[in-house]
Amino acid sequence: MMAASLLRRDKKATAAHLKADLNRTDNCAGARQLQELLDTVLNPETPATDTEALDWCKCLIAGGDGFDEFCKTVRSYDNATLCGLVWTANFVAYRCRTCGISPCMSLCAECFNNGDHTGHDFNMFRSQAGGACDCGDSNVMRESGFCRRHRLKTGENVPSVPRELLLMSEMVLPRFIISVIQYLREGYTEPGEGTDSGSERDLQKVLQQLEPQISFLEELTKMGGAMRTVLTKILTNQQTFKDLSMGQEGSPYAKQNYEKYLSALKNSGLVSVEEKALPASAESPAGEEEATGALASSGAAAAGSTEEASKEEDPDGGQALGQRKRVKLSSTTKDTSIMDSLKHKCFLEELLFWTIKYEFPQKMVTFLLNMLPDQDYKITFTKTFVQHYAFIMKTLMKSHESDTMSNRIVHISVQLFSNEELARHVTEECQLLDVMVTVLLYMMESCLVKSELQDEEKSRHVVVNCGEALLKNNTYWPLVSDFINILSHQSVAKKFLEDHSLLMLWMSFVSFFQGMNLNKREMNEHVEFESQTYYAAFAAELEACAQPMWGLLTHCKVKETQEYTKTVVRYCLEALQLWFDAIGFVDEPAPNQVTFHLPLHRYYAMFLSKAVKCQGLDLDSLLPDQEMLMKIMVHPLQIQASLSEIHSNMWVRNGLQIKGQAMTYVQSHFCNSMIDPDIYLLQVVDLLTMASVHQNALLDSEQERPMLEGALTFLVILTSLRLHLGMTDDEILRSEMVSQLCMNDRTHSSLLDLIPENPNPKSGIVPGSCSFEEMLSAVADFKAPVFEPGGSMQQGMYTPKAEVWEKEFDPIMVVLRTVYRRDVQSAMDRYAAFLKQSGIHTGNPWPPYKERSPLHPSYKGLVQLLHCKTLHIVIFTLLYKIWMDHQNMSEHVLCMVLYLIELGLDNQDQEHKEEEEPCIEEHCHDSWFPGTSLLSNLHHVINFVRVRVPETAPEVKREPPPSTSTEATSFGPNLREAQVFSLVAERRRKFQEIINRSSTEASAQVVRPKSSSTRWVPPGTPPQLVTEILEVRESMLSLLIKLHQKLSAKQNSLPAGWLEEAAAAAEAAAAEAAAGGGPADAGRHTHGDGITAIERILTKAAGRSRHSQRSIQEICGKVCPPVPPKKSSPADKKTLDKEERRTRARERQQKLLAEFASRQKSFMETAMDVESPDGEAAMDLGLTELMDSEILYDCVICGQSGPSTEDRPTGLVVLLQASSVLGHRCKTGEAKKLPTSDEEHIYAADTCGVAHDLRLALMQRFFRESSCLQSVSIGWDGGVYVQTCGHTLHIDCHKSYMESLRNDQVLQGFSVDKGEFTCPLCRQFANSVIPCRPGPGLEAGAWHCPSNKKPSVLVKEVEDLQGLMAPFPTVSNLSKEMELVIKDIKNTTQKKYMDYGKNPGSPDNDFLFMYSVARTNLELELVHRGGHLCSGGASGAAKRSCLNQLFQVLATHMRLYSIDSAYNPWTRLTQVTKSQLEEGPEVDRREVAMLFRDVPSLLIIFVLTMPQPLRKEHFTCVVKMLYNLQFVQALAALSAQFSPEERQAWSMSGTPKKNAANGEKCFEALLSHVIGELSSDETIYRLNAAEPTVLSSSVWSPQSIEFSLRQFCLPYLRIASLLQHHLYGDVLTECLQEDEFWTLVVGLGLLAPGPQTPSSSSSPIPSASCLEWPGVSAFQLVTQWCEEMKGLPETQAEHTLELVPFRSPQTLLVQDPQWGAPRLLQLPDNYNILFQYYHRKACSACQKVPKDPALCLVCGTFVCLKGPCCKQQGTCECVLHSQHCGAATGIFLLINASVIIIIRGHRFCLWGSVYLDAHGEEDRDLRRGKPLFLCAERYRVLEQQWVSHTFDHINKRWGPHYNGL
C-alpha cells in the first residue's frame, strides 16, 4: 500500500515530496497519494487524543518546512485591514463614545493606546461576555479613532500569495475539518439519553479531547488574511461539504456517524416533529424557497414545545390553552422554514450547529470569531447564525449553564449585529426581524399563565409567569439584547415600523407582560411568603418592552417619520382594546389589586408624546373615543392611588416587597419608562375628560391623613408636571439634575446614574443639545474632596449653586423622583438651611412655589382641571376644615391646597370672561359656585351648606362642624373628601352615575364612633343619613385671610391698608426688574412659610381681578378671630390632651438629647485634648511642674485616683507594634520611583536596615561576639514601637476588664486572646499595659542641682555607679507585671528580628534587643518631629509619650545583666589603659574598636544600666564623654574622605596647634593627630588609591569641615536631648534650623550658655570647643582609640572578600549617620500607566499572571493577592510579604481594583483609593473605567499614617484575614 510506505518515512521528507508532486502540472498521482495518506492518518476511528494525526497535518501543510517558519511566511502576506482581535470574559478593553458609531464598539488595549483619544469620552472596561476589537472597521467606528497601524491600511499593499505556499493547506484542511466534525458527531449524546449530569460531563470530555485540534484551527486563523481566505473557501464551499460529509463510502463507521448527525438535526426546528402531526400547521403553504432557512435563527426557546414538556410544566390544564395559542401563532408566521428542521449545505453551518449543541465552547466561539475579518466569511456566517437562531433559543432554554451560554451567544451576535450594513443585508435576505420576533414569542410562550387581573374566572388574557426560571434568571437576555441592537440601526428600525404584521406580532409579545406580577392586597393576616418575583418583572418590562421602545423612538424624531408613529399608536390601541376585552374590563377596576406593569399603556403614551413634541402631529387625531380614554386612564390611575396607599401603610400585610415595588417604580433606571409615561397619560386623559380619583376603601383614621395628602400631592403633580408637556430636553435634564442635587450633594457618577437617560439606555449618551457636563457646571458647584487625616476621606461632590436654591428648587419634581420619603425631608432641610444662611428666611419654610414652563398648545385643556367646580368645592372644604382645626388636616394638606389655588391663578384662561357660560356643564354643585373660573369663585361667599351625614354624627346636635375623628362632612351629595375624592365634570351621564353611585356607597361606609373599639361596618347597612344645614358664611378669600391670622397667631395680622403697600412694593420690584431685565415677581414672597404663601396668593388674586381686591379689603377691615365651638365633645378633649401630651413628650426628649450632646462634647474635649487637662498632667511629662509629692494616677475603669504602689500598680494603656519604618529610610529624603517598565528597577541596598545589617555582619567577623552586640543597635527592621493614648488604669482592673471582653462574644476587629483591647475611655486600640514605677515625680532638688565637681571626679563616680551590682528585685506585683511587659514586647516582633547573635537567646542578644527598643522609640519620635528638634517641645507627634515608663521597665530588666568590668567601654572611653595587645595570644577575638562603636547605642546602654533614678550631673557627664568619642569618629570618617595630598596638608597644618593652650579643643590639631596615627597602618587609607572618592574633587576648607563635623554629631545630640527631655522633663527650646546644633549643645550642658546666642552671622563657636576631656590628655586617648583600629588580621580581610565587600577598616567607620525621612514609593500620575504594566505582568514566584495582582507600596514588590500558587505553609503571599517587608504591616495597591489594603498583624482593612477620576471620585474595582489620576493629598495622608503608626486608630473597619490574602 502506498500510504503505508509513506507513513513509515520521515514526516518532513514525505511532506516535501508530496508538495513537489502536487506542484507539477499533472498532479493526479500526487493528489491520490495525499488522499490515501490522509485516509490513514485521519481515520475517524482512532481516538481523538492521538496526537500523531495533528503532527502529520502540521507537517503536510508546511510542505516540508518547519511549521513555525511556515507561519511566519504566511503572516508576511497578511492583507487584513481590521484588527479583529478576539477576547474572552474578563479581558480589559476600551470603549470610546466619541469615536464609536455603534454603542457596542470596543478596542483592544494595543489599538487604543496607539490611537489618539485625548479629550474623548472613553472608558476602560472588563469584558463580561468577551468581544472583538473593531479597529479598522469603519461601519462601527469613525476612522479618526483608528490606531496607527489600521489607519494606514498597511494590509492593502501586501504582495499576492504564491499559489504553492497554501496549496497543501487547501488539500489537507477540508479533510481535517471533517474529521473534527466526525468526532463531534460521534461524541454527542442527547441530554435526555443518559442521566443528565452524566451526559453533560461526556460533552465536556469530548471537548477536552478535541482541545488540540480546535486550538490548531484557531492558530491557523491567527496567521492572517491569506490563511483566512483559504479557510473561508473550505468552510463555505457546498461541493466540498457534499463530497465529504457522508464520510468514505462503504465505511460502516462513517454511515453510522452520519445517522447520528441526522437524528440530532431532527428536533432543530421551532416546532418539534411530533407537533408537526397536528393539522393546524399544515395550513401554511409549504415550499417557500428554502434559501430563507435563515428564519430558524430566530432564537426563542420552546422548552414547552413538545407536548410532553408542556404537560409537565402546566399541570393545571392550562396546557390546552398554551397549545392552542402556539398553533395559531405558527400559522401566522410568514415563513414556514423557521418551523422546520435545519438543513446544512456547508461545513460552516454544521460547525455552528455543533457549537450550539455543545453549548458554545469557548475555543469554538473564538475560532468562529477569529475568522470575521474575512468579509465573505462574515456575510455567510451571519446568515448561518440567523438560520440557527431558533435552535440557539431552544438550546439556551434547556441549558443548565444558561449564564455562560448567554454570554457566549452575545459575544458572537454583538459582532454581527452592531454593523448596520450587515444587519440591513440580513434583514432583507433572511427576514431577520421576523425571525427574532417569532423566536421571542415562542420563548415567552413556554411560561404563560392565566391572568388574574380583574375577573379571574372570565379572563382570557395570558401573562408571563415571573416565577419561571426563564424570567428569574434573565434567560431571554441575549435575544432581547440582539433585538435592541438591530433596532438601533435606522434602516432596520424603519423596516420594522413599516411592516404591519410584524408590529402586530410585537404588540402581542408586549401584551404578554401587560399586567404581570399582580399584587392583591392582604386584608386579614400577613402574607406568609414574600415572593421576590418583582425583580424579574421589572427587569423584564425594562429589557424586553421599554428598551426596544426607546430604540424605536430614537428613529421617530422628525416630521417625515410621523406615519410610523401613527401606525404604532394604532396598533397599541388595538392591542389595548383586545386586552380590555380579554380581562373583561368594563368600567370599574377590581378593588385591592394592582399591577405596576402596563407596557402597552406606556408604548401608547411615549409615542403620543413624541408625536406631539417632535413631529407636530395634532393630539386629537391620535386619541380614541371618550369611552376608550376612560378605560385607558383607570389602570395608571390605580397605580398612583396604590402608591399613596402603600406609603400610608395600607398594604403592610403584603410584606416589604410591595414597598420595594413602589420604590422600583420611581427609581431612576425605571422612572422614565414607568411613572413618567403613566402620569403623562393621565394628564392627556384629564385634559379631555375630567378624572375621578376614587379610593373605595375603608380607611382607618390614621390612614386618612396620608391618603388625603397623597391624593392632593398627586393632583398637584398632575397639574404642574411638564415633563412631556412642552419642556425641551435641556429643561428636562436641568430639572432632573436640580431635583437630585437638592436632595443631597452627589458625586458625578451617582448623578449620571440617577438621571434617567432618555434614549436607549445601552448607548450611554445623554440627549439634548446641551451636554451633561455643561448643564452640571451651570447648576452646581464642585466641592473638591476634603481630607481630615483622622476622618473618612470624602469624594468630590457637586452641590447646588445658591441661585438654584433661590429660583429653581422644585419640590414637586423632588417628590416625584424620590425613592425614599426621607429624601424629600432632606431636600427641605437643605433648603431651610440655605435660606437661613443667606438670611432670606429664618423660620421653618414651606416648599417654594415654582412658576411652570408654558404648556404645549396641544395640552391647554389640562388647565380646565384647575377650573372645575368640584375642585373648588374640595378646596373650600379643606380650607374650612383646616381653619376649624379638623384632626386629619396637616400642614402638608394646607400647603398642597394653597399650591392648587396658586396654580389655578397662574393658569387663568384669559378668553373666558367671568359672565360667560362655563365651558364644561356640571351636573351638581350648581348651588355652590356660579362659574368655573377660580378667580371669580375665590370671593364667592357661601352662606349655608346642605350636608348629608349619618345620624350618629355630632353635627346632628346642631353644632358647627367640630373636629371629631369620624368627621364625615360630605359637602354636597357626592363628595366625601378623604375617602372619595372625585373630581367629576363628566360629559357623559353614564360615568357620572357610576361615580355618584360609588361615592355614596363609600360615604356610607363610615366607622361608627359610638363603640369604643372601632369596628368595621358591613357596607350593606348604612346608618340613617340625615340632611343638615350648616351656617358657614365664608368665601375662599375670607378663609385664607383667617388662616393667615391663625398661622401668624396675631389678631388683625393683615391691616386694611395691607394690599396697597404690597402692590406698591410689587410695582417697585417690577420696575427694578424691568430695568435689570429680571423676572417681575422675584420679590420677597417667593421663599417663606405658610404666611408668605397666603400673602402671595392674595396679592396675585388682587392683581388679577378688581372684584377680589375689593373683597380682600373689606374682609381685612372687619375680620375677627375664629370662634371655637362652644362646648367641645369629650372626644375632642381627648384629642387635645393627646396632642398636648405628645408635644410635652417631644420637648422632654429634645431636652434630654441636648443634655446628652453637651456631655458628650465635654468628654470629647477632655479625651482628645493634646495638652491634657490638669488631671492628666502627670502623664504629659514634658509639661509637668517639678513636684516632690508622689504622682497620682486616675484609673479609667474604677475611677479612683491614687499613687501606683508595689502591691497595686497602675499602668499606662499602650499599643506595642513591630515597625520597619526606620529600616526603609534612605540617605536622600527623595521617594523612589515605582517601576512601570521592564527597564526600571528598585534596589534595596541603600536602605537603613540593609546598611546596619551589613555593618553588624562585618563586625561579627572581626570582633568578639558580645562586644559586637553592644556596639550597634538593631530594631531598624522589626523594632518595637510603643504608643499610648495617655490613660491609666489599675492593673487588676485591667485584668477583670479583659475577662469581661473575653466573655463578650460580639467582638469586632480585635482578638482578646492576643491581649488586644480598646481603651475603656477613648476606645483607642491597645494591646498591653506598662506599669508605672512608684515613687516621687520628676525630682527637683538634689537630682537637678548643677554640680561644680570636676570632670574627673564625675567620671570616677559614674564608674563606681556602674560597678554597683543591682539589688535583686523583690518579687512583688509590680515586678511580675514588669516581666510580663518585657514578654509582651518580645512577642510583638518576630523571632528573626531579635536574634542577631551567633547563638540565639544568649543574654547578650537579649541585652541588645532591650536597649534597641529604647533606641527605636527615640528615633521614631525624631522622625515624627520631622527629623530635627527645631520645633521644640510642643510637637503634636510627641503628644502622649510613654518613653519614661518604657525606660523604667527596660532599666529594671537590664540591671539584671552586669557588664564585666574588664570590658567596660567606660574605662576605655575615659582612661588610657595598658595596651592589651601584647598580652599573649588571644583566646577570644578582641573588643570592637571604640571608633567603630555606635555612640547613641552606648549612651542608652550607660543610662539604662546605671541605678535609677540617675542624677542629672552623671547623665551630663556621660553625654560629654561620649561627645568626645563622637567628635573623634567624625574626624576619622572625614579624614578617610580626603585625597592623600589633602591629608598630608592638613596633617602638616595642624601639628603646630597641638601644643597651643587650647590644642585639645581645636579640630585642626585633633585632625592632624588622627591622620598621623591612622596613616601608620597602610590598610586604613589604602582604598583611595584604587578609586578616588566623589568628594575629592571639592577642596576642603575649614568652614566645610566645621559644617561636616556638626552634621556628623547632630544625630547623637538629638537622641541625647530627647533622652534628657524624657528622663528629666527638660523643655526643648525652639530654634532656627541652622542654630539647632548650638541650642542642643547648650541644652545638654556641653557648653555654658554664653552672653550672645550663637547665630550664623556672628562668627560661630567651633564645634570642638564643646569637647571636655576627662583629666587625661586628649591626644593620648585619641592615640589609644586609633591604635584599636590598626592591625586587623589581614589574612581574614583577604579571605572573606567574596562574602562582604570589605576593603579596609575604613568601611567600619560610621560613615554618615544622617538618614532621610521614610517615604512610600512615588507613583505615576496616571493610573493607566501602572495598570497596563502590572495587570499583565507575571508573578516572579509562580510565573503566572495573577488573578488579583497587588503591589507593595513600601518596596515595590509584585505579589499575588489570595493566590493559592504562592502559598507557603498555608499563608498567602501578601501576608508573608507584609511580615517580611514591614514586620507585619503591609500597604498594598490592588491593581485590578485601584484600592489600597492595609495588613496589620492578623487583621486587614480596605483603606480607600489614592487614585481619583477627574471629578474627585474613587473607582473601586474599576467599574466605571474612567481615567484615574493620583491624588497627592490622599497619598500624603497614607504615608503620614504609615510613618506615625496610626493605621490602627484611624481606620475603623478591620477584619481578620486568616492568612488568606
Side-chain angles (χ1 to χ4, degrees), residues 99-118:
C99 300
I101 297 173
S102 151
C104 310
M105 167 277 220
S106 45
L107 292 171
C108 63
E110 194 184 350
C111 288
F112 178 81
N113 291 325
N114 285 329
D116 179 20
H117 297 274
T118 36

Side-chain angles (χ1 to χ4, degrees), residues 288-569:
E288 293 191 21
E289 74 277 33
E290 282 177 4
T292 54
L295 264 173
S297 88
S298 104
S305 61
T306 61
E307 288 173 23
E308 300 88 277
S310 46
K311 276 185 195 134
E312 279 161 35
E313 288 194 15
D314 212 348
D316 57 358
Q319 176 240 336
L321 159 132
Q323 197 65 49
R324 191 173 61 246
K325 193 139 178 60
R326 185 164 297 111
V327 174
K328 189 181 103 206
L329 270 177
S330 337
S331 53
T332 55
T333 326
K334 298 186 187 165
D335 189 336
T336 53
S337 60
I338 187 173
M339 300 304 154
D340 301 336
S341 294
L342 297 161
K343 295 185 182 55
H344 294 149
K345 301 198 187 58
C346 64
F347 280 141
L348 179 57
E349 295 179 5
E350 190 174 342
L351 265 180
L352 179 63
F353 173 76
W354 288 116
T355 305
I356 300 167
K357 270 286 193 203
Y358 281 89
E359 299 193 2
F360 292 91
Q362 185 67 67
K363 282 271 186 201
M364 291 288 288
V365 172
T366 323
F367 163 64
L368 292 171
L369 286 176
N370 271 336
M371 291 288 298
L372 281 178
D374 190 296
Q375 229 27 56
D376 302 339
Y377 171 85
K378 196 172 193 166
I379 292 171
T380 320
F381 180 62
T382 310
K383 287 184 181 168
T384 311
F385 187 76
V386 175
Q387 168 194 343
H388 285 76
Y389 210 73
F391 182 52
I392 291 175
M393 177 266 295
K394 285 179 80 162
T395 320
L396 177 63
M397 282 184 68
K398 286 184 200 149
S399 166
H400 294 286
E401 290 286 313
S402 57
D403 275 3
T404 4
M405 190 165 160
S406 300
N407 282 336
R408 307 260 167 89
I409 294 172
V410 172
H411 186 180
I412 298 179
S413 63
V414 81
Q415 300 309 321
L416 309 180
F417 298 144
S418 306
N419 184 330
E420 175 154 9
E421 209 166 308
L422 201 56
R424 197 191 64 236
H425 181 76
V426 190
T427 309
E428 286 166 2
E429 291 212 359
C430 313
Q431 277 72 37
L432 177 59
L433 285 165
D434 290 318
V435 169
M436 283 193 165
V437 177
T438 317
V439 170
L440 275 170
L441 266 175
Y442 262 84
M443 187 170 206
M444 285 311 168
E445 277 189 353
S446 64
C447 61
L448 294 179
V449 288
K450 210 163 144 181
S451 164
E452 300 178 355
L453 191 69
Q454 211 61 23
D455 177 1
E456 273 184 62
E457 282 68 51
K458 295 189 198 131
S459 172
R460 302 194 313 280
H461 181 56
V462 284
V463 286
V464 291
N465 170 12
C466 299
E468 290 265 359
L470 177 68
L471 280 128
K472 252 194 342 221
N473 307 338
N474 256 14
T475 315
Y476 55 83
W477 166 72
L479 309 172
V480 171
S481 122
D482 287 347
F483 188 58
I484 296 166
N485 199 352
I486 58 166
L487 282 185
S488 65
H489 306 309
Q490 190 148 9
S491 50
V492 181
K494 282 192 172 150
K495 274 249 171 331
F496 181 75
L497 290 165
E498 283 160 8
D499 186 334
H500 293 200
S501 58
L502 253 183
L503 270 176
M504 276 171 66
L505 267 182
W506 182 247
M507 285 303 165
S508 59
F509 173 74
V510 172
S511 65
F512 287 165
F513 298 88
Q514 178 92 347
M516 63 178 160
N517 201 33
L518 184 69
N519 301 293
K520 297 185 179 159
R521 185 168 152 212
E522 295 288 332
M523 305 300 274
N524 308 328
E525 61 261 19
H526 194 288
V527 56
E528 277 173 35
F529 169 69
E530 287 193 32
S531 82
Q532 297 297 321
T533 49
Y534 78 91
Y535 293 128
F538 276 96
E541 178 170 351
L542 189 69
E543 296 205 345
C545 304
Q547 290 196 2
M549 169 181 83
W550 289 112
L552 290 171
L553 280 168
T554 41
H555 303 298
C556 297
K557 282 196 180 127
V558 281
K559 229 181 165 99
E560 294 73 56
T561 52
Q562 55 184 20
E563 277 315 306
Y564 297 151
T565 317
K566 284 184 186 161
T567 325
V568 177
V569 168

Side-chain angles (χ1 to χ4, degrees), residues 1-7 9 17 21 29 33 36-37:
M1 215 24 215
M2 186 85 179
S5 65
L6 283 175
L7 273 173
R9 280 166 59 187
H17 165 68
D21 276 356
Q33 277 187 343
E36 281 179 16
L37 175 65

Side-chain angles (χ1 to χ4, degrees), residues 1501-1547:
I1501 293 176
F1502 287 147
V1503 172
L1504 287 179
T1505 48
M1506 288 161 77
Q1508 304 288 333
L1510 187 62
R1511 295 174 68 131
K1512 178 85 172 275
E1513 52 183 6
H1514 294 147
F1515 177 75
T1516 313
C1517 170
V1518 172
V1519 172
K1520 284 178 179 171
M1521 295 305 115
L1522 286 169
Y1523 178 71
N1524 302 342
L1525 175 61
Q1526 181 73 62
F1527 192 78
V1528 176
Q1529 277 190 9
L1531 291 174
L1534 271 177
S1535 71
Q1537 293 181 11
F1538 294 165
S1539 63
E1541 298 75 41
E1542 278 181 312
R1543 261 202 295 279
Q1544 191 65 36
W1546 279 105
S1547 174

Side-chain angles (χ1 to χ4, degrees), residues 954-1001:
E955 279 91 323
V956 185
K957 304 185 185 97
R958 298 278 176 280
E959 291 177 0
S963 46
T964 61
S965 58
T966 57
E967 163 79 24
T969 332
S970 314
F971 291 101
N974 103 320
L975 180 80
R976 194 162 159 263
E977 43 55 36
Q979 284 81 336
V980 184
F981 191 62
S982 319
L983 298 187
V984 184
E986 222 359 316
R987 295 187 187 147
R988 300 171 60 258
R989 280 296 163 109
K990 187 169 152 212
F991 271 96
Q992 182 59 57
E993 283 155 19
I994 291 162
I995 288 159
N996 278 346
R997 186 177 70 231
S998 67
S999 53
T1000 39
E1001 272 168 26

Side-chain angles (χ1 to χ4, degrees), residues 814-829:
V814 171
V815 170
L816 182 72
R817 283 289 179 254
T818 45
V819 179
Y820 300 102
R821 290 289 149 122
R822 58 165 183 262
D823 290 345
V824 182
Q825 194 45 54
S826 140
M828 281 312 296
D829 294 346

